[in-house]
């Protein structure tokens, strides 16, 4: 979390530092207080409040889950600007000692460390449902890995026998709030596919930062089948088990892609990436325009529920069987 703080916030910050089990980690403090600066600078970066505008850029490039405004004196202009930026990026904003009747946005009240906060969020904030989602991720991915182990082994053997290179392709992707992780896939391309990419960039058919061409010469014959059926994604069950991904959620992008996102598109990083989502179960998924794809991901976030995840999961399984001809 990033905090905008003053002397009145010291006891709260002490509690946050002392109670790691609460799940909060302070990574940035903005304060004009000498006491705050002297006390916390040895353990976290503390910048004067005049650098608060850096916060807007900071949230775009660093994994910030929440911003807390914990000052006794509140600047309505600053608060509105921060709320707007947090809403754009899907970052939760907490405002302490809120007494105004201004209706800034949909919000709810919470108490943290005996301090009342008005919490603003436009991402799924249903703790019980999110816990169930994680439990289901663990259960379903574990069961799937066990039941599909013969299939996973068979695919691995076929890839090993039919083309040179590793069976599993790993690639750094961007996850929740911009956190990088190693994504696993069955290799569907030739071993030097990345090296050949520059030669093919001029043929890119995507209208966004992603790379797509209809007949990519780097894809192996086995890879074509795996991609058509979606079976190449099965190793991501291990990403789900590790907590880096979820069964359902926006697909994890490359860092090079996120650097080209428009600001509103960054909000798709406000939830854990998934194995499948809205656009992946569409009949002509590869022809969907980039901005439409982004809009569909945000629609998923705005309308998220366990029921929606269940429906997408069922549709995903049906789609895989249909593409496999089973």
């Amino acid at each position: 979390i990033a905090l905008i703080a003053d002397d009145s916030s010291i006891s709260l910050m002490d509690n946050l530092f002392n109670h790691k089990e609460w799940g909060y980690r302070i990574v940035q403090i903005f304060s004009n207080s000498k006491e705050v600066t002297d006390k916390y600078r040895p353990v976290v970066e503390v910048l004067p409040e005049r650098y608060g505008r850096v916060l807007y850029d900071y949230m775009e490039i660093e994994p910030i889950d929440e911003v807390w405004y914990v000052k006794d004196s509140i600047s309505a202009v600053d608060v509105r600007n921060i709320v707007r930026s947090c809403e754009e990026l899907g970052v939760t904003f907490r405002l302490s000692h809120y007494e105004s009747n201004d209706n800034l946005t949909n919000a709810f009240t919470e108490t943290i460390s005996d301090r009342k906060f008005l919490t603003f969020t436009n991402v799924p904030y249903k703790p019980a449902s999110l816990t169930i989602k994680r439990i289901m991720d663990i259960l379903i991915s574990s069961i799937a890995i066990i039941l599909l182990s013969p299939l996973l082994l068979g695919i691995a053997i076929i890839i090993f026998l039919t083309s040179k290179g590793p069976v599993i392709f790993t690639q750094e992707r961007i996850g929740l709030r911009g956190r990088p992780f190693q994504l696993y896939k069955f290799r569907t391309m030739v071993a030097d596919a990345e090296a050949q990419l520059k030669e093919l960039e001029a043929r890119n058919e995507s209208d966004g930062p992603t790379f797509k061409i209809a007949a990519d010469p780097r894809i192996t014959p086995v890879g074509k089948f795996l991609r058509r059926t979606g079976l190449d994604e099965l190793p991501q069950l291990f990403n789900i088990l590790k907590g880096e991904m979820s069964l359902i959620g926006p697909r994890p992008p490359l860092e090079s892609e996120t650097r080209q996102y428009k600001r509103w598109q960054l909000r798709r990083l406000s939830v854990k990436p998934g194995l499948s989502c809205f656009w992946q179960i569409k009949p002509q998924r590869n022809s969907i325009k980039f901005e439409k794809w982004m809009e569909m991901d945000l629609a998923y976030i705005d309308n998220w529920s366990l029921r929606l995840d269940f429906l997408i999961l069922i549709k995903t399984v049906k789609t895989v069987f249909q593409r496999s001809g089973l």
Side-chain angles (χ1 to χ4, degrees):
I1 61 175
L3 280 81
I4 297 94
D6 60 14
D7 289 350
S8 69
S9 318
I10 289 177
S11 62
L12 171 66
M13 289 189 285
D14 281 345
N15 282 333
L16 293 175
F17 278 114
N18 293 331
H19 293 277
K20 305 293 185 186
E21 71 276 10
W22 290 358
Y24 298 109
R25 183 170 67 90
I26 300 173
V27 296
Q28 181 77 62
I29 297 174
F30 295 93
S31 181
N32 290 334
S33 164
K34 185 177 185 303
E35 187 175 354
V36 169
T37 302
D38 292 344
K39 181 167 186 175
Y40 298 111
R41 181 165 281 169
V43 293
V44 68
E45 185 177 30
V46 182
L47 293 175
E49 276 187 53
R50 67 177 180 275
Y51 290 104
R53 59 183 176 274
V54 175
L55 176 62
Y56 309 134
D57 298 325
Y58 189 80
M59 286 191 292
E60 289 188 15
I61 59 176
E62 293 293 334
I64 294 292
D65 295 309
E66 300 186 4
V67 174
W68 293 18
Y69 194 101
V70 287
K71 294 176 58 180
D72 267 346
S73 175
I74 295 174
S75 166
V77 173
D78 286 347
V79 168
R80 284 187 173 88
N81 288 337
I82 297 171
V83 168
R84 191 175 301 115
S85 291
C86 287
E87 285 183 337
E88 283 181 336
L89 301 176
V91 174
T92 297
F93 176 68
R94 300 188 193 275
L95 176 61
S96 177
H97 296 307
Y98 186 78
E99 297 176 356
S100 171
N101 291 322
D102 290 345
N103 184 19
L104 297 174
T105 187
N106 292 331
F108 55 91
T109 303
E110 282 187 306
T111 300
I112 302 173
S113 184
D114 298 325
R115 194 156 183 165
K116 284 189 176 179
F117 286 89
L118 192 65
T119 299
F120 302 78
T121 182
N122 66 341
V123 296
Y125 195 82
K126 305 170 185 176
S129 295
L130 290 171
T131 299
I132 294 172
K133 178 179 172 75
R134 178 59 188 147
I135 292 171
M136 295 306 296
D137 281 343
I138 294 171
L139 288 176
I140 294 175
S141 61
S142 300
I143 293 170
I145 289 170
I146 294 170
L147 294 180
L148 297 175
S149 55
L151 176 62
L152 296 172
L153 180 60
I155 293 173
I157 292 172
I158 292 171
I159 294 172
F160 178 77
L161 294 176
T162 57
S163 63
K164 294 181 180 179
V167 168
I168 299 296
F169 172 72
T170 62
Q171 187 178 52
E172 184 174 275
R173 295 293 182 99
I174 301 302
L176 179 65
R177 311 283 190 204
R179 293 172 173 85
F181 71 97
Q182 292 297 315
L183 175 134
Y184 309 129
K185 296 180 71 170
F186 280 123
R187 181 175 56 81
T188 58
M189 292 186 173
V190 294
D192 63 341
E194 293 295 311
Q196 294 183 32
L197 181 59
K198 270 196 174 297
E199 302 171 14
L200 299 170
E201 283 179 346
R203 295 168 55 186
N204 187 14
E205 298 169 3
S206 172
D207 63 331
T210 55
F211 179 82
K212 288 181 185 177
I213 54 176
D216 195 324
R218 301 172 299 165
I219 300 176
T220 65
V222 171
K224 288 179 182 178
F225 173 77
L226 294 177
R227 286 189 168 213
R228 179 167 59 83
T229 57
L231 294 175
D232 60 319
E233 311 285 4
L234 286 179
Q236 286 157 49
L237 290 169
F238 292 96
N239 289 118
I240 295 169
L241 198 57
K242 291 167 65 179
E244 297 163 336
M245 292 178 61
S246 180
L247 286 166
I248 308 299
R251 290 295 293 158
L254 295 165
E255 183 184 8
S256 59
E257 295 169 1
T258 62
R259 287 199 297 265
Q260 299 177 63
Y261 278 4
K262 295 176 183 176
R263 190 174 177 86
W264 66 268
Q265 294 166 348
L266 288 167
R267 190 160 69 89
R268 74 185 297 268
L269 303 178
S270 63
V271 297
K272 198 175 287 187
L275 187 63
S276 182
C277 200
F278 272 149
W279 73 274
Q280 279 209 305
I281 56 177
K282 294 294 182 181
Q284 303 295 325
R285 61 174 182 164
N286 290 326
S287 63
I288 295 175
K289 296 293 185 182
F290 180 75
E291 292 231 345
K292 181 64 177 176
W293 169 14
M294 297 293 103
E295 289 170 1
M296 291 171 72
D297 281 343
L298 295 186
Y300 165 78
I301 293 171
D302 292 337
N303 296 282
W304 179 79
S305 68
L306 290 173
R307 180 177 179 275
L308 179 60
D309 272 8
F310 178 74
L311 293 174
I312 295 175
L313 182 61
I314 295 300
K315 182 67 174 176
T316 300
V317 174
K318 289 174 62 177
T319 301
V320 169
F321 277 107
Q322 288 168 358
R323 289 173 182 163
S324 304
L326 299 174

